[in-house]
């Protein structure tokens, strides 16, 4: 299922709303086994390394404070970053949306005369569909992260932020390599080392030939103009140092104000994502090779600052907390919903709990978008908030987005939904003691429809969506107020 950026709608072609996509995922035992095993392993590793840090909660609070400061000062910090990047020999481009960003990247690659680029994993480029736009212009983008390469060769989409190919088994990966990877031995087995060495041989040749690289950025330091990429395989280091031209696409929220702020995030991110004490490969660069008087690194550097809905999120007092996200995937690994359905069911580049709050805000809650149902893809258990390294209160944002979705639906249809009408009626009854008393007495009319201790028949059918997986408890024979009145009468 290839993905395509299409402006303000869902970035995945053919995506279905979560309520329709989830049942198919639930019916796939292999997927559920892979997800259950992988997420449990990552959870255990994270818990172990987090327990070693006595001031972990202080680090979380520091991370939250730094990101909130960044969002509060974002225009100023972006201008500071631009000035420092330009002073270090780089070029800065501003993109309001996916169309502008894709056009900028494509023109920059065309200017080099190259028809092939290497990429280090970037969710921002996946969000806007850079690969498809480049392909439409005769340019082939090669993903160099092993899992991203597997997904690309399979013509699929990632299902996890940290381990995008989590939904594939070893045998499936072997078959993908056999059919999609040029030069691979047809007799290759499903042994992990053998698969990794085949990918290494394939990618090493591309690294040595590449003249253009495209990357994302985990962080950008406003005060110095430094960009930071964290990865675990060394492919990022190759992309960021070998090709003479480097193009980085970065969401405008990835800033930190000061160099010393990295101290906090370089502790939070690896522990929260891979369960490691420190990241295996942390690459930082400031401007171009010419600026630092020779050595490794690009001779031409372009930074594309991507908005694509982020300014709109920033204006939402509650929803803007989603922009703190550092893409660690900790929320996915503890989410009982994600663990059972995987990333594809979300129909978004950003899956799991963070995707459930970020994607609808990026594309806008229109009342009929595929992403509109994502705020309901949660049990509101709160596990995601407990592990988030920057303290994003995902459950509260989900509830707020659900309210916005109901309002958007009503506005789109120009009439209240059954749910909103029911809630309005409940609010009317509950805001007055006498009305509430009359309403509770009136509920006794449902007694004839009680069977086996639950409400059945036409009254239950009104709540079809709710009752599909649960029973409506039977209304009691008497109300609490009636019981209390009788109790008081019996007192001596």
């Amino acid at each position: 299922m290839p993905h395509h950026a299409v402006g303000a709608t869902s970035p995945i072609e053919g995506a279905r709303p979560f309520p329709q996509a989830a049942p198919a995922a639930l019916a796939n035992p292999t997927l559920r086994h892979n997800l259950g095993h992988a997420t449990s392993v990552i959870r255990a590793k994270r818990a172990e390394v987090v327990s070693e840090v006595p001031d972990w909660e202080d680090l979380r609070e520091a991370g939250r404070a730094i990101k909130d400061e960044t969002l509060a000062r974002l225009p100023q910090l972006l201008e500071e970053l631009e000035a420092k990047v330009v002073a270090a020999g780089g070029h800065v481009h501003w993109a309001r949306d996916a169309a502008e960003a894709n056009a900028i990247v494509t023109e920059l690659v065309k200017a080099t005369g190259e028809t092939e680029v290497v990429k280090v994993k970037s969710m921002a480029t996946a969000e806007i569909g850079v690969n498809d736009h480049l392909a439409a212009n005769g340019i082939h983008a090669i993903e160099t992260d092993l899992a991203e390469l597997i997904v690309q060769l399979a013509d699929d989409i990632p299902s996890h932020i940290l381990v995008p190919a989590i939904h594939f088994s070893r045998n499936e990966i072997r078959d993908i390599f056999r059919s999609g990877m040029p030069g691979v031995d047809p007799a290759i087995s499903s042994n992990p080392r053998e698969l990794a060495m085949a990918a290494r041989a394939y990618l090493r040749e591309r690294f040595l030939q590449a003249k253009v690289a495209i990357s994302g950025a985990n962080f950008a330091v406003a005060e110095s103009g430094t960009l930071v990429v964290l990865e675990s395989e060394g492919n990022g280091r190759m992309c960021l140092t070998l090709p003479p031209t480097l193009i980085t696409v970065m969401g405008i929220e990835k800033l930190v104000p000061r160099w010393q702020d990295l101290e906090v995030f370089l502790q939070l991110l690896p522990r929260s994502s891979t369960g490691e004490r420190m990241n295996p490969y942390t690459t930082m660069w400031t401007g171009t090779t010419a600026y630092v008087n020779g050595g490794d690194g690009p001779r031409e550097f372009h930074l594309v600052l991507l908005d694509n809905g982020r300014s709109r999120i920033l204006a939402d007092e509650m929803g803007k907390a989603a922009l703190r996200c550092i893409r660690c995937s900790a929320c996915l690994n503890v989410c009982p919903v994600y663990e059972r359905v995987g990333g594809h069911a979300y129909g978004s580049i950003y899956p799991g709990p963070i995707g459930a709050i970020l994607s609808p805000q990026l594309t806008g809650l229109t009342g009929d978008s595929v992403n509109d149902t994502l705020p309901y893809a949660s049990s509101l258990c709160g596990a995601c908030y407990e592990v988030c390294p920057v303290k994003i209160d995902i459950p509260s944002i989900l509830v707020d987005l659900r309210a916005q979705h109901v309002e958007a639906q009503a506005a789109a249809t120009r009439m209240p939904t059954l749910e909103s009408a029911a809630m309005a009626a409940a609010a009317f009854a509950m805001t007055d003691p006498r009305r509430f008393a009359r309403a509770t007495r009136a509920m006794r009319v449902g007694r004839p429809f009680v069977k086996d201790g639950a409400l059945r028949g036409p009254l239950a059918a009104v709540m079809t969506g709710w009752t599909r997986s649960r029973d409506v408890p039977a209304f009691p024979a008497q109300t609490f107020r009636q019981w209390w009145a009788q109790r008081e009468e019996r007192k001596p």
Side-chain angles (χ1 to χ4, degrees):
M1 184 169 63
H3 59 279
H4 304 269
V6 282
T9 57
S10 171
I12 299 180
E13 183 179 303
R16 294 178 296 166
F18 184 87
Q20 298 176 21
L26 287 170
N28 185 336
T30 302
L31 174 66
R32 295 184 64 176
H33 174 270
N34 291 351
L35 290 168
H37 173 71
T39 54
S40 63
V41 169
I42 297 171
R43 282 198 305 270
K45 289 178 62 180
R46 177 197 172 276
E48 181 180 356
V49 296
V50 165
S51 68
E52 299 171 352
V53 184
D55 61 343
W56 179 254
E57 289 306 312
D58 292 335
L59 279 171
R60 289 182 71 208
E61 180 58 29
R64 180 206 62 77
I66 292 168
K67 295 302 289 185
D68 281 352
E69 178 193 355
T70 298
L71 298 177
R73 301 172 52 207
L74 193 56
Q76 169 196 338
L77 292 174
L78 285 169
E79 290 182 358
E80 184 178 357
L81 175 70
E82 178 184 33
K84 293 300 172 63
V85 169
V86 171
H91 306 271
V92 176
H93 310 264
W94 300 79
R96 288 172 293 188
D97 54 25
E100 285 192 1
N102 284 329
I104 291 168
V105 173
T106 301
E107 289 306 311
L108 289 173
V109 177
K110 281 184 174 181
T112 68
E114 295 296 315
T115 58
E116 185 173 279
V117 301
V118 290
K119 289 182 63 193
V120 56
K121 183 168 62 176
S122 165
M123 297 201 76
T125 61
E127 174 189 322
I128 61 176
V130 158
N131 289 10
D132 294 315
H133 196 272
L134 290 173
N137 285 270
I139 301 165
H140 179 44
I142 300 172
E143 299 289 351
T144 64
D145 176 88
L146 178 55
E148 291 280 355
L149 175 63
I150 293 167
V151 170
Q152 183 182 41
L153 292 175
D155 196 24
D156 200 352
I157 62 170
S159 61
H160 192 280
I161 292 176
L162 176 65
V163 277
I166 194 174
H167 53 292
F168 287 126
S169 68
R170 295 178 187 177
N171 289 338
E172 289 172 326
I173 294 171
R174 175 202 62 204
D175 295 340
I176 291 168
F177 278 18
R178 285 175 175 174
S179 62
M181 183 179 290
V184 74
D185 183 353
I188 188 172
S189 75
S190 58
N191 178 275
R193 174 174 172 78
E194 194 172 340
L195 292 171
M197 294 306 292
R200 181 184 183 189
Y202 170 75
L203 289 174
R204 184 57 58 91
E205 184 178 351
R206 271 71 195 170
F207 287 136
L208 295 175
Q209 294 176 352
K211 303 300 180 185
V212 182
I214 297 175
S215 84
N218 291 97
F219 306 103
V221 182
E223 74 173 4
S224 65
T226 302
L227 280 294
V228 186
V229 164
L230 282 71
E231 41 94 14
S232 301
E233 300 171 18
N235 60 302
R237 184 70 54 84
M238 303 287 274
C239 285
L240 299 167
T241 57
L242 292 179
T245 299
L246 172 61
I247 303 167
T248 298
V249 181
M250 185 190 84
I252 57 176
E253 80 281 13
K254 292 298 185 70
L255 274 174
V256 294
R258 298 161 294 270
W259 178 267
Q260 69 184 46
D261 296 331
L262 293 176
E263 175 191 2
V264 173
F265 294 107
L266 294 183
Q267 294 181 75
L268 286 172
L269 183 54
R271 284 179 168 84
S272 297
S273 58
T274 56
E276 295 170 295
R277 296 176 182 87
M278 85 181 279
N279 203 69
Y281 290 90
T282 300
T283 304
M284 303 182 185
W285 72 99
T286 306
T288 64
T289 301
Y291 171 71
V292 295
N293 299 315
D296 293 334
R299 292 190 288 275
E300 185 175 344
F301 170 55
H302 297 270
L303 174 61
V304 181
L305 294 172
L306 176 68
D307 188 321
N308 204 39
R310 287 160 174 79
S311 292
R312 182 176 58 249
I313 298 176
L314 192 61
D316 187 301
E317 193 57 35
M318 177 170 284
K320 68 181 181 182
L323 296 179
R324 294 183 203 152
C325 179
I326 57 175
R327 309 292 191 268
C328 68
S329 77
C331 61
L332 280 71
N333 299 325
V334 299
C335 178
V337 176
Y338 174 84
E339 185 179 357
R340 285 157 179 79
V341 301
H344 288 173
Y346 291 81
S348 165
I349 292 300
Y350 301 103
I354 187 60
I357 63 171
L358 185 59
S359 297
Q361 293 191 91
L362 285 173
T363 59
L365 283 161
T366 62
D368 58 358
S369 167
V370 169
N371 287 340
D372 285 358
T373 59
L374 290 181
Y376 301 95
S378 169
S379 65
L380 300 180
C381 68
C384 50
Y385 178 43
E386 293 299 318
V387 299
C388 178
V390 287
K391 291 190 170 182
I392 302 173
D393 188 354
I394 294 177
S396 293
I397 299 175
L398 286 168
V399 172
D400 184 64
L401 291 175
R402 290 179 184 185
Q404 292 185 37
H405 176 239
V406 171
E407 293 171 1
Q409 278 187 310
T413 59
R414 298 185 179 180
M415 62 182 296
T417 63
L418 180 60
E419 179 184 14
S420 64
M423 291 298 104
F428 176 76
M430 293 179 180
T431 50
D432 181 272
R434 286 172 296 184
R435 289 198 297 263
F436 184 66
R438 288 195 294 269
T440 54
R441 287 196 299 269
M443 287 182 180
R444 286 180 297 174
V445 301
R447 293 292 299 170
F449 299 98
V450 173
K451 182 180 180 182
D452 298 327
L455 190 66
R456 310 292 182 186
L459 289 182
V462 171
M463 298 180 284
T464 303
W466 197 86
T467 58
R468 188 177 295 121
S469 57
R470 56 180 72 80
D471 289 329
V472 180
F475 299 129
Q478 62 177 178
T479 68
F480 175 80
R481 292 169 184 269
Q482 291 170 329
W483 172 84
W484 183 265
Q486 291 177 3
R487 176 181 178 276
E488 293 298 301
E489 289 175 1
R490 289 194 296 267
K491 283 186 177 180

